[in-house]
Amino acid sequence: MAAAATFLLRHRQSLLRSPKLARSSHSLPDPPEKISSPLSHQLQQSKWLARFPHSISRKCKDFEFSSPTAISSNRSSSPPRFGFVSWYLGMVKTRPVATKTVTAALIYTAADLSSQTIVSIVGGSGEGYDLARTLRMAGYGMLIVGPSLHFWFNFVSRVFPKRDLLSTFAKMALGQTVYGPTVTALFFSVNAALQGESGSEIVARLKRDMAPTLLRGVMYWPICDFITFKFVPVHLQPLVTNSFSYLWTIYLTYRAGLEKVDKVGV
């Protein structure tokens, strides 16, 4: 009996010292199969990963992917790279004179076509469009208004660089006393010369039309100039002024169509 007991004891000790049994005693349990909720899943997973060495758990965390909502939010937050507005602003900065010149020509063309449409509807004449007059207005906007506005606003911004009320009113005063009368005189003179009028007829037209036009301009342009000088950057001021000029040009050409120069009475 004593020999049998000694044999069993030695056999048990040899089993405990076996490598396979030692590895099985220290093996990791499988992760839980049943998950009741996402929160319990995270808790069970963290407990399961805690039994790994630190290097293994760190490698497992590196393989985690970002959520689809984060990816979609990053894509939606990125601004569009293309568009007409961004292209136009880039052209204003790279080629300011050419861009403002073409813009003025297009605006004056649209204004003249609108004016002829109004005259046709109000007068009921049913006549076709005067394309020669439209070309004159487009040339006036391209050769005179576009370049002159670019250099005028740059000059005014250098003389009065601030945007306070005092500087804004000073810019408005310069526009009403210097730029406005000069451009208006050029408008009537060039338009009359292209229609074949003589020098005396151009002078008579200026005497008749300059004062009423400037008086009506005083009632329209100050509010436009205040908005332009106070709130608009310098490189975009010609665009805003040309937009206001759209309505002003419709008014000028409409009045010119209704009140023709009486050459006999001059």
Side-chain angles (χ1 to χ4, degrees):
M1 293 295 292
T6 303
F7 174 77
L8 292 175
L9 181 61
R10 290 180 179 177
H11 179 68
R12 183 179 179 183
Q13 291 177 355
S14 63
L15 290 176
L16 291 176
R17 288 195 298 269
S18 177
K20 294 183 179 180
L21 186 59
R23 283 198 303 267
S24 63
S25 62
H26 292 285
S27 60
L28 294 173
D30 295 331
E33 297 179 355
K34 296 183 180 180
I35 301 173
S36 59
S37 64
L39 182 59
S40 62
H41 169 68
Q42 293 180 0
L43 293 176
Q44 293 290 341
Q45 188 177 13
S46 62
K47 292 180 180 179
W48 181 66
L49 292 175
R51 301 186 182 185
F52 280 100
H54 177 69
S55 60
I56 299 177
S57 63
R58 184 175 58 189
K59 291 182 180 179
C60 293
K61 292 180 181 179
D62 291 338
F63 283 98
E64 294 181 357
F65 294 94
S66 59
S67 61
T69 56
I71 297 175
S72 61
S73 63
N74 291 332
R75 290 180 179 177
S76 61
S77 61
S78 60
R81 298 181 180 179
F82 303 99
F84 176 77
V85 177
S86 60
W87 172 82
Y88 182 83
L89 294 178
M91 292 297 294
V92 169
K93 292 183 179 180
T94 56
R95 298 181 178 179
V97 179
T99 304
K100 296 169 187 178
T101 296
V102 175
T103 302
L106 293 176
I107 290 176
Y108 271 75
T109 300
D112 184 70
L113 293 175
S114 301
S115 175
Q116 293 190 45
T117 303
I118 293 174
V119 171
S120 177
I121 294 175
V122 174
S125 59
E127 298 179 356
Y129 288 97
D130 188 358
L131 296 181
R133 194 182 86 171
T134 304
L135 290 176
R136 289 196 302 268
M137 296 304 300
Y140 172 78
M142 178 178 291
L143 300 177
I144 297 177
V145 176
S148 64
L149 282 177
H150 171 76
F151 293 108
W152 170 255
F153 282 117
N154 287 337
F155 167 75
V156 171
S157 65
R158 286 195 298 268
V159 176
F160 300 100
K162 297 182 180 180
R163 290 190 183 180
D164 55 348
L165 288 178
L166 184 61
S167 300
T168 302
F169 284 123
K171 297 174 185 177
M172 293 168 56
L174 280 178
Q176 292 297 317
T177 57
V178 179
Y179 183 80
T182 303
V183 174
T184 303
L186 285 174
F187 171 78
F188 288 122
S189 301
V190 172
N191 185 57
L194 291 176
Q195 295 183 76
E197 296 185 6
S198 61
S200 59
E201 290 174 340
I202 293 175
V203 173
R205 179 185 289 272
L206 291 176
K207 290 181 179 179
R208 194 201 69 168
D209 293 339
M210 275 292 294
T213 303
L214 293 178
L215 181 61
R216 293 182 179 93
V218 170
M219 295 183 292
Y220 176 77
W221 280 109
I223 183 64
C224 302
D225 290 340
F226 181 81
I227 295 173
T228 303
F229 289 123
K230 181 66 177 176
F231 304 107
V232 180
V234 177
H235 66 284
L236 294 179
Q237 287 177 357
L239 175 62
V240 177
T241 301
N242 282 328
S243 302
F244 290 130
S245 298
Y246 173 78
L247 297 176
W248 178 247
T249 305
I250 291 177
Y251 169 77
L252 283 181
T253 53
Y254 174 72
R255 295 295 299 176
L258 294 179
E259 300 178 4
K260 295 184 181 297
V261 177
D262 187 7
K263 296 182 180 180
V264 178
V266 176

